[in-house]
Amino acid sequence: QTEVQWWHSMGGALGEWVNDLAKDFNASQKDYKVTPTFKGSYAESMTAGVAAYRAGNAPHMIQVFEVGTATMMAAKGATVPVAKVMTDAGLKFDPAAYVPAVAGYYTAPNGQMLSYPFNSSTPVFHYNKDAFKAAGLDPEKPPTTWPEVALAAAKLKASGHKCPFTTSWISWTQLESFSAWHNVLYATKNNGFGGTDTRLSFNSPLHVRHIENLANMAKTGPPMYSA
């Protein structure tokens, strides 16, 4: 039986799900045994993977977040493109099965998929219906625009909430995702897909106004956020 070491960064309930995936696969046949190992955060697991490769004992598979994809793919000899793995194994692999935006991120200009999209994160807006009701807001109508978020936060603060609005991963949620929602570029060269000499371009009037609005909210007290 061949053991396959799989390092990942899925903690909590997601970690249990990963363990179940491996358990079900292992029970389905006798030739291979997948051993999943939680290695900490995305950054920690990638650092561990790099260190293991340099020490000559890298895992067979490792989950790397999208930000680390280019780093791993640029490490010649350290990784093998997933498309090649599938071809060498004689297995059919259809990248079209994935959401185009997800598959495209992990695909080289020549059309070869470099890594296997396992999970994809997206920002989600949560609100407390009970708090909305107590503040005189309609609990069935969450804010759908940033001005509405600011107004709702102000009312929540007035009703006694010390932290009526919070957000995190600012560069992702408030710049990158914000750009995608408004169909404006986050960087030149088609957000970097058109060349390596790209430059960040989130100093547009729209981006500046949004960050200024967040800053004004912070000055008046509604939000508290972490980077």
Side-chain angles (χ1 to χ4, degrees):
Q1 188 179 55
T2 301
E3 183 176 13
V4 178
Q5 291 290 335
W6 176 21
W7 291 5
H8 66 87
S9 296
M10 299 284 96
L14 290 178
E16 295 177 5
W17 173 66
V18 166
N19 290 334
D20 287 340
L21 282 178
K23 181 179 179 180
D24 291 344
F25 174 78
N26 293 338
S28 71
Q29 44 74 53
K30 300 297 183 181
D31 296 328
Y32 301 93
K33 177 185 178 182
V34 174
T35 302
T37 303
F38 176 70
K39 299 299 287 188
S41 68
Y42 287 131
E44 290 170 339
S45 63
M46 187 175 79
T47 299
V50 172
Y53 170 73
R54 291 173 177 171
N57 57 355
H60 302 96
M61 299 189 298
I62 183 171
Q63 179 190 22
V64 175
F65 61 157
E66 72 280 5
V67 179
T69 297
T71 298
M72 298 303 287
M73 291 301 115
K76 300 298 182 182
T79 62
V80 180
V82 68
K84 184 178 186 305
V85 173
M86 295 298 184
T87 299
D88 292 348
L91 297 175
K92 292 183 178 180
F93 180 63
D94 184 14
Y98 295 97
V99 175
V102 174
Y105 192 98
Y106 302 97
T107 301
N110 63 4
Q112 182 185 52
M113 184 168 280
L114 302 176
S115 56
Y116 183 92
F118 182 65
N119 65 301
S120 183
S121 301
T122 187
V124 176
F125 181 79
H126 293 274
Y127 74 103
N128 187 316
K129 287 187 174 182
D130 292 335
F132 262 51
K133 187 175 181 180
L137 296 164
D138 189 339
E140 301 304 322
K141 292 183 179 180
T144 58
T145 66
W146 281 105
E148 290 179 1
V149 169
L151 289 174
K155 289 186 177 181
L156 288 167
K157 182 186 178 183
S159 69
H161 285 272
K162 294 182 178 180
C163 182
F165 170 73
T166 185
T167 185
S168 60
W169 294 86
I170 303 298
S171 61
W172 169 38
T173 63
Q174 305 306 324
L175 287 176
E176 188 176 5
S177 292
F178 177 84
S179 300
W181 270 104
H182 291 277
N183 196 30
V184 295
L185 289 177
Y186 178 73
T188 60
K189 293 295 182 74
N190 193 28
N191 286 332
F193 286 96
T196 56
D197 57 337
T198 185
R199 295 179 64 86
L200 294 174
S201 59
F202 50 76
N203 59 343
S204 72
L206 178 63
H207 292 101
V208 171
R209 184 171 76 246
H210 179 56
I211 297 301
E212 284 181 340
N213 287 339
L214 291 178
N216 288 333
M217 288 174 66
K219 291 177 182 178
T220 57
M224 293 176 64
Y225 55 84
S226 59

